[in-house]
Amino acid sequence: MMDSLRRGARSWIAKILFFFLILSFAVWGIADVFTGFNRGSLAKVGDTSITAADFQQAFQRELDLISRQAGRRITPDQGRQLGFDQRALQRLVSGAAIDTHAVKLGLGMSDTAIAAEIQNEPTLKDLNGQFSRPAFEAFLRQIGLSERAFLASVRKDLVREQLTSTLGESIAVPEPMLAAIHAHNDESRVIEHLTIDADRAARITEPDEAKLKETYEANKSSLRAPEYRKLRVLKLSIEDLKGKVAVSDDEIKAAFEQDKDTYARAERRRVDQIAFKDKAAAEAAKAKIAGGQSFADAAAEAGAKPSDISLGLVAKKDMIDQKIADAAFKLEKDKVSDVIEGRFAPVLVRVTEIQAGKEPALDEVKDRVREKIARERARTEAQKLHDGVDDNRASGKPIKDIAETLKLPLIEVAATSIDNKAPDGKAAIDGPDGAAIARAGFEAEIGVERDPIELSDGGYAWIELLSTTPAADRPFETVRTEVKTLHMDTERRKALVELGKKLVDRIKAGETMAALALEVGGKAETTLPVTRGVIPQGLTQAAVSQAFALPKGGAGTTDTADGKSRILFRVVDVKPAPPMTKEQRDTLVGELRGNLQGDVVQSYVAALQARYGVTINQAELRRLTGGVATQ
């Protein structure tokens, strides 16, 4: 709900978000209870109830948050596959446990305290540092809550935050812990290494027929043909529908004229702005600038940093204060405006760059206009067809008949593995959604209807499982080439492992890495001092981890990143961690305090849940998450 207020990193909002992050990792137990619930009631923690609506809102917030982080829309089905529905429920249960405890303790927040917290939130203040009602209303619109609902949520969040934050107030990080972690993290090592030339150092002879068959028998299970499934897929794709939409030139022209502004490239200006406490201060600054003072110096005298005065390269419509926007877009380049009485404060404005706007010609954007019209119509048609498919399924029609009736494409998939591979190794189902359709086919049951899956373009696919071909052994002759490759790779790996052990012994006996490089290929290289968290080029995480477990002069060997050869390495020097700087100490203390506080909060929440009891209406949960509820 409050994720969009990101700039308040040190505010109560950040604390609440941190609290929820802790809750998502809390350990909790749930009783499997089927009775004592009304329809729509999902869970209880003591006397505190969690409704189905609470869960649906929490799940949607999870999806919205992850979608923003991923940069693409995460569907409810995908969210459930990734466990976000369970995480949402965990947070609700954990929060309800704390709410129950707060009620027992008689804790609460007054309306005055709530108002003060919101008014002091930095992201809701204007340029004058005062609470901005327009900014607050814009935020409410963005998160889709009424003011009353938001205040109730903030009240609950702040009570939870105050209750849990007290658990961490007395946490002190032990000095021995600080010293041990610093010594571990900041110890560094110099590592000499080389990568063996596998072709040169491990030459493998061609296997005879007996060896091949021996390898085949030993690896039959990994050489088996996977389980295949025969599917029938009714596909309702927005992209397919869009291609069938006819759009006339007259329609394109009308749509262009109606939305012409959306295709235009607006004039943009790089605007600097200084806000003043009153008009007199602004007039005084204007006079100094007219007398030769720089705009930056005037800003500094007004208490603004260079980063505070830049509004960036903006279009007129992007500026919040229309009065300031009007003035800024009339200014000549590098000129300073007269004092402008803005909505929040008197300001001076300067324009340092002007990018001219451009009115588009129809021919320049004709394809974009056609695309937009066609996509909108395709979405409308897709919804009608979706409803048509559902109606036909409800009447008992198989999807093959539905496809014929509604003239929708029907895909017959002769055989697909769970990873969307046909027996010949090619993709069984073409297109960006092939893998998702194949996975859904392996979740289907013969004769059981499933809800459609949502496609990446916003369309749908209904999947019918026709038959299953179990995994089976493949005859030797059909996998002969694979067996030979497997044998050669296995023997080469064995040879490299044995060679690596011998080379390690020779290094311990005093031979140099440079001398061994002449024999087995590769180039001996030496790193700069590296800590455990650094993986130098030519090494792997496994090699670095081994190197930090060895004493000075110790040697070891491990696989290369691609597994095709071996890395040989020696610890040239071990450098203890230097004394902690104040900055390092402060950072480490902060991290450890946060970790310890998280452990305490998890234990606290787990104890509350055990004390008050947690019950889940499993039938309702299955209904909400798409499972089949038992009666």
Side-chain angles (χ1 to χ4, degrees):
M1 175 196 63
M2 304 169 74
D3 297 323
S4 61
L5 296 181
R6 296 178 181 176
R7 289 184 294 164
R10 300 181 182 275
S11 68
W12 54 273
I13 285 177
K15 294 177 182 177
I16 290 170
L17 291 176
F18 175 68
F19 156 73
F20 275 121
L21 180 63
I22 291 172
L23 289 189
S24 68
F25 294 103
V27 179
W28 56 292
I30 293 178
D32 189 6
V33 175
F34 294 86
T35 60
F37 289 95
N38 296 320
R39 176 79 171 183
S41 181
L42 178 62
K44 287 183 181 179
V45 182
D47 296 330
T48 303
S49 293
I50 298 171
T51 67
D54 293 333
F55 171 76
Q56 289 170 325
Q57 291 171 3
F59 183 34
Q60 188 58 54
R61 285 198 295 269
E62 288 284 344
L63 294 178
D64 291 343
L65 175 61
I66 299 301
S67 295
R68 286 196 295 271
Q69 292 174 345
R72 63 184 180 86
R73 182 168 175 260
I74 304 297
T75 67
D77 280 343
Q78 292 170 330
R80 282 188 283 270
Q81 291 172 9
L82 295 170
F84 297 144
D85 55 338
Q86 292 300 315
R87 189 164 75 175
L89 182 57
Q90 287 177 14
R91 290 186 178 183
L92 287 171
V93 169
S94 299
I98 298 173
D99 293 343
T100 302
H101 193 207
V103 171
K104 300 285 186 184
L105 295 174
L107 300 180
M109 294 284 288
S110 68
D111 292 343
T112 302
I114 297 295
E117 289 286 352
I118 294 175
Q119 289 171 353
N120 288 329
E121 169 55 38
T123 57
L124 298 179
K125 290 185 178 182
D126 58 28
L127 295 174
N128 225 13
Q130 301 299 312
F131 173 71
S132 170
R133 181 74 192 182
F136 179 54
E137 291 173 351
F139 171 65
L140 291 179
R141 288 192 297 271
Q142 181 182 351
I143 63 175
L145 287 180
S146 67
E147 182 173 336
R148 182 177 179 180
F150 176 72
L151 294 177
S153 181
V154 170
R155 185 190 307 278
K156 186 177 292 186
D157 290 343
L158 288 175
V159 170
R160 292 174 182 174
E161 190 275 325
Q162 287 194 350
L163 188 54
T164 54
S165 65
T166 58
L167 299 173
E169 292 299 324
S170 60
I171 291 177
V173 180
E175 285 296 328
M177 179 185 286
L178 273 176
I181 292 176
H182 173 69
H184 178 272
N185 290 347
D186 283 53
E187 176 190 335
S188 63
R189 302 200 169 200
V190 177
I191 306 170
E192 186 180 21
H193 62 95
L194 68 83
T195 297
I196 298 171
D197 184 336
D199 292 333
R200 174 177 169 182
R203 293 175 180 165
I204 308 301
T205 59
E206 290 280 324
D208 57 22
E209 194 75 3
K211 284 288 184 185
L212 286 178
K213 288 187 176 179
E214 181 183 331
T215 300
Y216 169 74
E217 291 296 333
N219 295 276
K220 256 187 178 181
S221 60
S222 64
L223 294 166
R224 300 183 84 200
E227 178 182 334
Y228 288 106
R229 295 201 165 192
K230 184 177 181 180
L231 307 176
R232 184 174 286 146
V233 182
L234 175 60
K235 193 175 179 184
L236 177 56
S237 166
I238 300 294
E239 288 299 316
D240 291 344
L241 291 174
K242 187 185 71 176
K244 299 174 183 178
V245 173
V247 184
S248 69
D249 288 344
D250 288 343
E251 288 173 325
I252 293 173
K253 184 176 180 181
F256 171 72
E257 292 298 333
Q258 181 178 344
D259 299 325
K260 196 171 185 178
D261 290 345
T262 64
Y263 299 102
R265 187 178 70 198
E267 178 184 338
R268 302 173 74 198
R269 295 187 170 209
R270 193 171 300 280
V271 181
D272 293 338
Q273 173 183 288
I274 308 173
F276 298 90
K277 61 181 180 179
D278 53 42
K279 187 175 181 180
E283 294 285 6
K286 170 67 176 177
K288 288 184 179 180
I289 292 173
Q293 186 181 47
S294 71
F295 195 81
D297 288 343
E301 285 189 7
K305 295 180 290 187
S307 58
D308 295 332
I309 67 174
S310 176
L311 301 183
L313 189 63
V314 296
K316 188 175 181 180
K317 65 180 178 61
D318 295 330
M319 299 183 70
I320 297 174
D321 193 319
Q322 193 58 47
K323 193 171 182 180
I324 296 174
D326 289 340
F329 275 76
K330 291 177 182 176
L331 273 178
E332 296 179 29
K333 184 174 177 293
D334 296 325
K335 298 291 185 181
V336 178
S337 70
D338 292 330
V339 176
I340 306 166
E341 292 278 7
R343 286 168 56 188
F344 305 117
V347 301
L348 292 177
V349 169
R350 176 182 65 172
V351 173
T352 59
E353 180 184 348
I354 298 175
Q355 292 184 358
K358 182 182 178 183
E359 288 290 332
L362 175 58
D363 288 343
E364 295 175 325
V365 296
K366 189 173 184 178
D367 290 341
R368 289 171 56 194
V369 179
R370 178 186 287 108
E371 163 80 14
K372 182 178 179 181
I373 296 171
R375 182 168 291 277
E376 288 173 353
R377 290 183 181 174
R379 288 188 184 281
T380 301
E381 181 63 17
Q383 191 55 56
K384 291 179 182 177
L385 289 169
H386 176 281
D387 295 342
V389 172
D390 275 356
D391 291 343
N392 277 277
R393 292 180 83 203
S395 67
K397 278 189 178 181
I399 62 173
K400 184 176 182 179
D401 293 345
I402 297 172
E404 292 175 359
T405 300
L406 300 179
K407 295 181 173 53
L408 290 173
L410 189 71
I411 303 171
E412 299 282 353
V413 183
T416 180
S417 64
I418 194 170
D419 55 356
N420 191 32
K421 292 288 174 53
D424 63 1
K426 297 179 181 178
I429 307 166
D430 293 330
D433 300 294
I437 293 172
R439 284 195 303 271
F442 273 76
E443 296 169 2
E445 296 178 35
I446 294 176
V448 178
E449 283 192 359
R450 281 178 47 87
D451 288 337
I453 66 167
E454 189 169 343
L455 303 179
S456 57
D457 65 359
Y460 303 91
W462 289 263
I463 297 142
E464 180 183 1
L465 174 60
L466 301 177
S467 63
T468 298
T469 303
D473 292 338
R474 291 189 288 175
F476 171 73
E477 291 302 328
T478 65
V479 292
R480 184 187 185 88
T481 301
E482 293 175 54
V483 171
K484 180 179 177 181
T485 300
L486 177 60
H487 174 83
M488 299 288 283
D489 288 347
T490 301
E491 292 303 309
R492 182 178 290 106
R493 190 172 294 110
K494 287 180 183 177
L496 286 169
V497 169
E498 288 302 315
L499 175 61
K501 291 177 181 177
K502 293 176 182 178
L503 294 175
V504 167
D505 290 339
R506 290 168 64 179
I507 289 176
K508 290 178 180 178
E511 292 192 52
T512 65
M513 192 78 73
L516 294 177
L518 293 174
E519 180 181 328
V520 300
K523 178 182 177 183
E525 297 179 278
T526 303
T527 69
L528 296 171
V530 295
T531 59
R532 284 176 169 82
V534 176
I535 312 299
Q537 186 174 359
L539 291 175
T540 62
Q541 179 65 67
V544 172
S545 297
Q546 282 191 47
F548 272 86
L550 293 169
K552 181 178 178 179
T557 179
T558 187
D559 282 335
T560 55
D562 60 9
K564 294 181 178 180
S565 188
R566 298 286 288 182
I567 299 169
L568 184 67
F569 59 88
R570 181 175 72 92
V571 179
V572 176
D573 196 11
V574 176
K575 296 180 180 293
M580 266 190 293
T581 65
K582 182 180 183 304
E583 291 75 14
Q584 286 176 318
R585 179 186 177 81
D586 291 344
T587 299
L588 189 54
V589 167
E591 291 174 354
L592 292 175
R593 278 178 61 88
N595 292 337
L596 292 172
Q597 184 178 6
D599 292 341
V600 170
V601 171
Q602 287 185 36
S603 299
Y604 164 67
V605 172
L608 290 181
Q609 292 172 168
R611 177 191 299 180
Y612 299 126
V614 178
T615 53
I616 301 293
N617 183 344
Q618 298 289 353
E620 185 71 0
L621 179 59
R622 281 192 290 270
R623 184 183 72 82
L624 293 171
T625 57
V628 180
T630 58
Q631 299 298 322

